[in-house]
Amino acid sequence: MLRPKVPTMPQPTGRIAPPAVVEPTAVVPHGQAAPAAVAAPAPARPTVQLTPGAVIALIGGGTAVVLVVGAVLVSMLLAVAITGASLAICALVIRSLIGAESKHR
């Protein structure tokens, strides 16, 4: 009824590149040392020079970052503390309501 069709591999078309040519390397006998390659000197990296104004700006920026991060952390701590306190108060109120209801019956 249903017969699967087996795909056939098509023949390559277009231009085919020839194989790469491999050149032999020179063999240095064990007794002789190969000539040492002269390493090029590394380019000199420019040094960072801080002016007094840049130092003051860095100190001011660092102080601002510390103050902002500290304010965010303190506000998160306060939010957790307020949430915990309100949950404790709700638990006490519910407990007292349940206790009062059982006394009236």
Side-chain angles (χ1 to χ4, degrees), residues 2-86:
L2 296 174
R3 295 186 181 192
K5 184 178 178 183
V6 177
T8 58
M9 183 69 164
Q11 294 296 325
T13 58
R15 198 169 146 190
I16 299 174
V21 178
V22 178
E23 296 182 10
T25 58
V27 177
V28 179
H30 185 63
Q32 297 176 351
V38 177
R45 293 176 59 183
T47 58
V48 177
Q49 295 179 352
L50 294 176
T51 61
V55 171
I56 292 173
L58 283 174
I59 292 173
T63 304
V65 167
V66 167
L67 289 177
V68 168
V69 170
V72 168
L73 291 177
V74 167
S75 65
M76 289 173 64
L77 179 66
L78 284 174
V80 170
I82 291 171
T83 303
S86 64

